[in-house]
Amino acid sequence: MASRRDSLLNREKGQSGLRSRILAAVVVGVLLGCFFAFLSPHGLFASSDSQTDHNLSNRFSEQVVSSECESTERVNELKSDVQSAKEKNYELKREVRSLKEKLLQAEQGKDHAQQQVVVLDEKQKVGPFGTVKGLRTNPTVIPDESVNPRLAKILEKVAINKEIIAALANKNVKQELEVWFTNIKRVGIPNYLVVALDDTIEEFCKSNDVPVYRRDPDEGVDKIAKTGSNHAVSGLKFRILREFLQLGYSVLLSDIDIVYVQNPFDHLYRDSDVESMSDGHDYETAYGFNDVFDEPKMGWARYAHTTRIWVYNSGFFYIRPTHPSIELLDRVATRLSSNPKLWDQSVFNQELFYPSHPGYDGLHASKRTMDIYLFMNSKVLFKTVRKDDELKKLKPVVIHLNYHPDKFERMKAVVNFYVNGKQDALDGFPDGSE
C-alpha cells in the first residue's frame, strides 16, 4: 500500500512539473510574440514581399518600355523598308519603260521595207505599171529628254515644228557670225540657235539677243573648241548634233560662212534622212553623170562607164531624227575621233554613199540633193551666176562661201548684191582664190 501511494504521488508530481513547463513555454512564446510584434508591426516577411512586388513591378515596366521602344524602332524599320521598296518599284518601272522604248526603237531600226509593213500594218498590192513608188521616209525616233534636259528646254522654246537651224561657233569666226545672224534676223527666221564653244561667243550672242546654247564642260571637246582648227571644230558638230536628234528635233546644220536670203524651211522636201547642199557647180556634177574611164590596153573593153556625183557639203545639210541619221553621225564621229587627220566632209560622204561590200556594211539612209541655184555654193556664184544675166535674176535661199578663204569680205559683197541691190558688188573678186 505504501509503495502504490508513493507511486501515485510521484506521478502527480511529474504531471505537475510538465504542466508547469508547458505553461512556462506558452508564457515565453507570448512574450516573444509581443516583442517581435513591437519591432516589426508589418510582420517579419512583409518587407521582403513588398520589395519583391516592387522589383517585379519595375521589371514589368522596363519590359513594357523596352517593348514599346523596340516596337517604335521596328515600325521605323518597316517604314524605311516600304519606302525603299517603293523607290525600287519606281526604278523598275522606269527600267521597264526604257526597255519598252529601246524595243520599239529596235523595231523601228529593222529593214526599211519591213518597217513600212509594220507602219502600214498591211500588205499592199502592186499598182499599174509606172505608178509604183517606194516609201523612203524613215520614221522618227522616240524623243528622250533625259539625254540633255537643259538643251531640251531651250529647243522647246526656240524650235518651230520640231525644226531648228544650228551652228557651232568660236571666237575665230566672230566677224562672220555677226553677218550670219544679222541676215537670219533680217529674213525673219526665229528658230535658230548658236552653239557657243567659248565664253566670248556666248557673251557676244547674249549681247545681241541671239539664242545661244553653251554645252556643259567637256575637257576633250572644250580643248578642240577653243584652240582647234576649222576642220577640228567641224568634226565636233557630228557628236553635238546627235543630242538634237535624240531629243526628236530635225536640224538644219549650218556653217557660219553662209548668207541667208530667204527662209530655208520654206524650200525643204523633208522626204529623206539627209537633205544636203552639193559641192557640185552644175547639173551634172551636183546630181550625177556618166563618167567614162578609158583604158586603151583593154582593147574592145577599153571604155568603162562610171556614175559620179560631187560630194555633199557637210557644212549645210538638213537631217531628220531617224535611226539611219543617228547611225551616220555615230559612224562619222567615231572615225574622226580615231584619226584627227581625216577631213570631216570626206568621211561624211563616204559613210553616206559607200555601198555594202565584203567586210563593210553600208548605211541604209535616204538622201536628197538640194537645188544648186537655191542652196548655192560660192563656186556656182562666182564662176557662173554672176556672169549670167538670167541667173543673176534668181533669188537664192542661201549662199555658202565654202570655196573661198576670204569669207568675210565675200559675205559682205553677197549682202550688198542680193540685199542692198548693188549690181557690181561681186565684180571685184576672182573666180577662185588666186
Side-chain angles (χ1 to χ4, degrees):
M1 289 292 293
S3 61
R4 181 181 299 174
R5 190 170 50 251
D6 292 337
S7 177
L8 290 172
L9 288 173
N10 291 333
R11 184 181 302 173
E12 287 178 0
K13 289 179 180 179
Q15 289 177 349
S16 175
L18 179 61
R19 283 195 297 270
S20 298
R21 287 195 298 272
I22 291 172
L23 180 61
V26 171
V27 171
V28 171
V30 171
L31 292 174
L32 286 174
C34 293
F35 176 76
F36 284 113
F38 175 77
L39 290 178
S40 300
H42 299 293
L44 290 175
F45 303 102
S47 178
S48 178
D49 292 341
S50 175
Q51 185 66 34
T52 300
D53 292 343
H54 180 69
N55 291 340
L56 289 174
S57 177
N58 287 342
R59 191 177 303 169
F60 178 75
S61 298
E62 290 175 357
Q63 289 178 349
V64 170
V65 172
S66 176
S67 177
E68 289 178 354
C69 292
E70 291 177 357
S71 298
T72 302
E73 292 177 358
R74 183 57 180 162
V75 168
N76 291 334
E77 289 178 1
L78 290 174
K79 287 182 178 179
S80 177
D81 291 342
V82 169
Q83 182 63 29
S84 177
K86 287 182 179 179
E87 292 176 357
K88 290 181 179 179
N89 186 45
Y90 177 73
E91 291 297 327
L92 288 173
K93 287 182 178 179
R94 287 186 59 185
E95 291 179 5
V96 169
R97 285 198 301 269
S98 176
L99 289 173
K100 286 182 178 179
E101 290 178 359
K102 290 180 179 179
L103 178 61
L104 182 56
Q105 291 174 0
E107 291 175 352
Q108 290 177 342
K110 290 180 180 178
D111 180 78
H112 180 67
Q114 292 180 350
Q115 179 59 35
Q116 297 303 329
V117 172
V118 174
V119 173
L120 296 174
D121 200 28
E122 62 178 357
K123 295 181 179 179
Q124 294 182 326
K125 291 183 178 180
V126 176
F129 182 83
T131 64
V132 177
K133 289 186 179 294
L135 299 175
R136 60 184 179 276
T137 305
N138 285 307
T140 57
V141 300
I142 298 174
D144 183 5
E145 293 189 1
S146 65
V147 171
N148 192 330
R150 187 164 63 87
L151 178 59
K153 291 181 179 179
I154 295 174
L155 293 177
E156 186 178 357
K157 294 179 181 179
V158 179
I160 296 177
N161 297 326
K162 304 289 284 189
E163 293 180 324
I164 193 166
I165 297 173
L168 277 68
N170 61 16
K171 60 184 179 182
N172 297 332
V173 294
K174 186 177 179 180
Q175 285 185 318
E176 293 86 349
L177 176 62
E178 186 172 10
V179 178
W180 183 84
F181 66 65
T182 298
N183 282 277
I184 284 181
K185 290 181 177 182
R186 178 186 54 77
V187 173
I189 304 170
N191 50 330
Y192 69 100
L193 181 68
V194 174
V195 179
L197 301 178
D198 54 43
D199 296 336
T200 300
I201 293 300
E202 183 180 16
E203 293 302 320
F204 182 61
C205 288
K206 289 180 178 179
S207 64
N208 286 277
D209 196 26
V210 172
V212 63
Y213 162 65
R214 181 71 185 275
R215 297 182 73 253
D216 292 332
D218 185 310
E219 183 176 351
V221 172
D222 288 347
K223 183 178 180 180
I224 297 174
K226 294 178 180 178
T227 63
S229 64
N230 288 341
H231 280 180
V233 172
S234 294
L236 290 178
K237 63 191 174 191
F238 298 98
R239 189 176 297 276
I240 296 174
L241 189 56
R242 190 187 203 274
E243 294 184 350
F244 285 74
L245 268 60
Q246 283 182 276
L247 294 172
Y249 290 84
S250 296
V251 181
L252 184 57
L253 193 283
S254 174
D255 278 354
I256 298 302
D257 57 339
I258 293 177
V259 176
Y260 287 76
V261 182
Q262 299 186 66
N263 190 332
F265 292 112
D266 295 336
H267 300 271
L268 297 174
Y269 285 81
R270 301 175 176 84
D271 63 347
S272 304
D273 296 307
V274 177
E275 195 168 342
S276 179
M277 171 184 284
S278 173
D279 268 4
H281 61 90
D282 54 26
Y283 270 69
E284 287 73 25
T285 56
Y287 308 136
F289 64 100
N290 178 34
D291 185 38
V292 181
F293 177 77
D294 184 11
E295 192 175 10
K297 68 178 182 180
M298 288 299 295
W300 176 81
R302 63 180 293 179
Y303 300 110
H305 292 259
T306 66
T307 300
R308 295 186 61 190
I309 182 174
W310 283 30
V311 295
Y312 281 177
N313 190 289
S314 63
F316 190 86
F317 60 88
Y318 177 81
I319 186 167
R320 297 175 60 248
T322 66
H323 276 90
S325 295
I326 295 175
E327 183 181 1
L328 170 65
L329 300 179
D330 288 352
R331 288 186 177 206
V332 176
T334 299
R335 288 184 57 187
L336 292 176
S337 62
S338 63
N339 187 353
K341 294 182 179 181
L342 293 175
W343 183 24
D344 68 285
Q345 181 161 291
S346 177
V347 176
F348 175 73
N349 280 272
Q350 290 170 8
E351 294 298 337
L352 196 55
F353 286 98
Y354 277 5
S356 297
H357 56 263
Y360 177 81
D361 290 330
L363 182 72
H364 299 282
S366 57
K367 42 201 169 287
R368 171 181 281 274
T369 305
M370 292 177 171
D371 188 316
I372 62 171
Y373 294 117
L374 292 180
F375 299 91
M376 191 185 302
N377 63 56
S378 57
K379 183 174 183 176
V380 173
L381 175 63
F382 286 97
K383 183 181 178 181
T384 305
V385 171
R386 68 171 176 166
K387 302 175 182 179
D388 188 298
D389 291 337
E390 293 300 318
L391 291 177
K392 286 172 66 174
K393 297 177 183 178
L394 296 176
K395 185 179 182 181
V397 177
V398 300
I399 299 95
H400 189 180
L401 283 302
N402 60 311
Y403 270 101
H404 300 88
D406 51 340
K407 299 180 183 300
F408 182 59
E409 295 301 324
R410 292 193 186 237
M411 288 178 74
K412 291 191 296 182
V414 167
V415 173
N416 282 330
F417 182 80
Y418 283 106
V419 178
N420 301 326
K422 296 182 179 181
Q423 294 302 303
D424 61 347
L426 304 175
D427 295 346
F429 297 91
D431 289 354
S433 58
E434 66 273 11

